[in-house]
Amino acid sequence: MVEQEIVLKKQLGLLNGIGIIVGIIVGSGIFISPKGVLLEAGSVGACLLVWGFTGGICLVGAMCYCELGTAILTSGADYGYIMESLGDLPAFLFLWVCLTVLVPTGNAITGMTFATYILQPLYPDCGPPGIAVSFVAGLCITLLTFINCSNVTWATRVQDVFTFTKIFALIIIIVTGIYMLFAGSTENFQAPFEGTATQPGKIALAFYSGLFSYSGWNYLNFVTEELKNPYKNLPRAIWISLPLVTIIYVLANVAYFSVLSPEEMLASDAVAVTFADRTLGVMSWIMPVFVACSTFGGLNGAIFTSSRLFFVGARHGHLPGFLATINMHHLTPLPSLVFGCITSLIMLMSSDIYALINYASFVETLFIGMSVSGLLILRVTKPNLERPIKVSLVFPVFYLIICLFLVVTPLTTSPMECLMGLIMVCTGIPVYMLGVMWSKKPQGFRVAFSKFSAMTQKLFYAVHEDVKID
């Protein structure tokens, strides 16, 4: 009998890392959020500034995550950083909101965007019905979960291919927009700041829509255990990816405004398709295809990385043990992937994408702020912790000031969405007390749960991290 450890393999190189970051960031956001940013910012000029500033904010946050990710080499990103700096309960609450809000909401939004663009050509006048959008989105989420369950290499190849496809789609938009500008289509830039919103709450919500489009900049930190040479490849992937995405996003929005008026953009549920209809003529059909490919790749990356969070949470005893198991044939965290799939399908019952964006962004900003504050706390409590990368304290302080603004100001303009986010965070406290702190559970409960875990492990053909192999 030889005891052998079954673990996640280090299979991800620098290009895979760039593909994951760019592939997740450039998902549904750039094809949905231009409308959301404009709706809250109020003018073309303010809209473009929001896109540039949000990219810069994410780069500052990513620099902080470089220090955290190379000092605390564990998959799970924010979960591990919050646990290390703030303790078990805050880390569990982050895990809880990821389970109930962030991951399923993000996947649902991306899946619904994929479905909308796929179905848009079939409903040119009225838009696709909600039930059809939810059905196709569910099929997409289920298919990608199956791919990720089957093989890590398959999942990363899907990510690399669709990353190229989405960048190509945005290049088409940018080149077309530049051509239109040189052809004299500059009406929307004559008075760029006319109608700019001045209320702090409106500005914060505009930033939420922009930051939603950059969501995923920290997702490579979720899979550091599978990243080759993380001390070098993590910061390199971040420094290459985020400036590239920021430039592409700003240019894409300039291109949109070179063709569509603010009123036309606000009236469109599929901005890129409307843009293509106005500029590409008989070839306009390619844009829904490219956008669908873009969202497909973004969803694949989100499913791939978020499952590792559930895996790590279960490994630390914050989730049922069967979620910390790996399929011994494919070396993938299959139970975690299926669990994430189920919660994402449940979230498809909501059809208001923009409410979902504000709802998720508020909670995400709150916990990313906690992770960055952990950097400052660890500088004091663990000064001798090995830090291959050490950033200036200016960066975390600046980022925390931005987070404070983004968390406090929306309370005046979208109190219900913010209140629902806070309630969801607080519901994790009794769950933590019952599931984690309560060690002396009744015998019948422990036996029943052990049988359930054993049945689930058998169903998934999974084994614990340490197994015996003949």
Side-chain angles (χ1 to χ4, degrees):
M1 300 287 286
V2 179
E3 191 171 279
Q4 180 177 322
E5 189 179 16
I6 305 285
V7 296
L8 300 172
K9 288 184 176 181
K10 288 186 177 292
Q11 304 181 64
L12 307 177
L14 176 60
L15 289 178
N16 294 132
I18 295 170
I20 286 173
I21 296 175
V22 175
I24 295 175
I25 293 178
V26 186
S28 61
I30 188 58
F31 306 109
I32 289 181
S33 293
K35 176 179 175 178
V37 173
L38 179 61
L39 182 67
E40 304 296 346
S43 70
V44 172
C47 182
L48 295 177
L49 286 177
V50 168
W51 283 104
F53 283 145
T54 47
I57 290 168
C58 291
L59 182 58
V60 171
M63 291 171 67
C64 298
Y65 272 61
C66 279
E67 175 173 327
L68 290 167
T70 52
I72 306 170
L73 276 177
T74 179
S75 291
D78 303 74
Y79 172 73
Y81 312 150
I82 293 172
M83 178 178 288
E84 191 76 20
S85 59
L86 298 173
D88 268 20
L89 177 58
F92 176 84
L93 292 178
F94 171 76
L95 186 64
W96 174 250
V97 296
C98 281
L99 280 170
T100 56
V101 180
L102 298 183
V103 170
T105 297
N107 290 350
I109 291 170
T110 309
M112 289 163 67
T113 307
F114 168 82
T116 299
Y117 276 86
I118 280 287
L119 295 172
Q120 186 72 28
L122 302 178
Y123 301 89
D125 299 322
C126 60
I131 190 169
V133 170
S134 296
F135 179 74
V136 174
L139 287 179
C140 177
I141 291 170
T142 305
L143 172 62
L144 285 172
T145 300
F146 172 76
I147 292 172
N148 278 269
C149 287
S150 300
N151 193 292
V152 171
T153 304
W154 289 6
T156 54
R157 283 178 182 170
V158 167
Q159 193 64 28
D160 295 342
V161 169
F162 283 97
T163 295
F164 171 79
T165 304
K166 66 184 67 180
I167 295 299
F168 185 67
L170 287 169
I171 288 173
I172 291 175
I173 291 172
I174 291 168
V175 170
T176 304
I178 292 173
Y179 171 80
M180 296 299 292
L181 286 174
F182 278 104
S185 182
T186 59
E187 297 85 0
N188 294 325
F189 301 97
Q190 300 300 324
F193 292 99
E194 184 178 338
T196 299
T198 56
Q199 305 98 313
K202 285 276 190 181
I203 295 170
L205 290 176
F207 271 76
Y208 273 168
S209 283
L211 289 170
F212 169 77
S213 293
Y214 289 95
S215 292
W217 57 264
N218 59 334
Y219 268 39
L220 189 59
N221 291 60
F222 279 74
V223 293
T224 48
E225 289 182 30
E226 296 169 81
L227 188 65
K228 299 174 184 175
N229 197 357
Y231 295 122
K232 291 184 177 179
N233 286 334
L234 178 62
R236 284 176 180 173
I238 288 171
W239 272 105
I240 293 172
S241 303
L242 276 167
L244 174 66
V245 172
T246 302
I247 292 169
I248 289 174
Y249 274 12
V250 172
L251 291 177
N253 277 274
V254 170
Y256 286 144
F257 285 119
S258 71
V259 173
L260 304 174
S261 68
E263 293 75 20
E264 288 172 326
M265 187 178 289
L266 291 174
S268 173
D269 288 326
V271 176
V273 171
T274 305
F275 176 91
D277 288 340
R278 293 277 299 273
T279 57
L280 300 183
V282 295
M283 294 300 293
S284 62
W285 62 269
I286 68 172
M287 192 52 63
V289 174
F290 278 131
V291 174
C293 290
S294 172
T295 52
F296 191 82
L299 182 56
N300 176 71
I303 289 171
F304 177 82
T305 53
S306 60
S307 65
R308 274 59 180 175
L309 170 63
F310 303 149
F311 172 81
V312 173
R315 193 169 61 184
H316 282 93
H318 283 172
L319 289 175
F322 70 87
L323 292 176
T325 57
I326 301 171
N327 184 283
M328 65 184 302
H329 303 295
H330 305 299
L331 296 181
T332 56
L334 193 149
S336 293
L337 284 160
V338 174
F339 182 78
C341 176
I342 293 170
T343 57
S344 300
L345 294 177
I346 292 171
M347 195 60 72
L348 287 175
M349 289 187 291
S350 174
S351 59
D352 188 344
I353 288 180
Y354 297 102
L356 287 176
I357 289 173
N358 291 338
Y359 182 44
S361 296
F362 175 81
V363 176
E364 185 174 24
T365 302
L366 182 65
F367 278 98
I368 288 178
M370 290 176 65
S371 295
V372 175
S373 69
L375 185 152
L376 298 176
I377 292 170
L378 289 174
R379 288 283 186 94
V380 176
T381 58
K382 296 186 177 182
N384 297 322
L385 180 68
E386 184 180 353
R387 294 175 173 86
I389 296 173
K390 194 172 184 179
V391 300
S392 168
L393 292 180
V394 172
F395 295 114
V397 170
F398 170 78
Y399 195 84
L400 287 174
I401 292 171
I402 297 295
C403 284
L404 184 64
F405 169 76
L406 292 176
V407 167
V408 172
T409 51
L411 293 172
T412 60
T413 54
S414 296
M416 282 306 299
E417 290 164 5
C418 297
L419 179 62
M420 288 302 296
L422 290 173
I423 290 174
M424 187 55 69
V425 173
C426 292
T427 57
I429 297 175
V431 176
Y432 176 80
M433 295 175 67
L434 291 173
V436 180
M437 289 184 63
W438 187 23
S439 57
K440 297 182 179 179
K441 298 180 179 67
Q443 180 69 20
F445 177 86
R446 292 201 302 268
V447 171
F449 191 78
S450 296
K451 289 182 178 179
F452 173 76
S453 295
M455 180 183 68
T456 308
Q457 290 180 33
K458 184 178 180 181
L459 176 65
F460 290 129
Y461 303 100
V463 293
H464 287 285
E465 290 179 56
D466 293 304
V467 299
K468 293 182 178 179
I469 299 177
D470 291 327

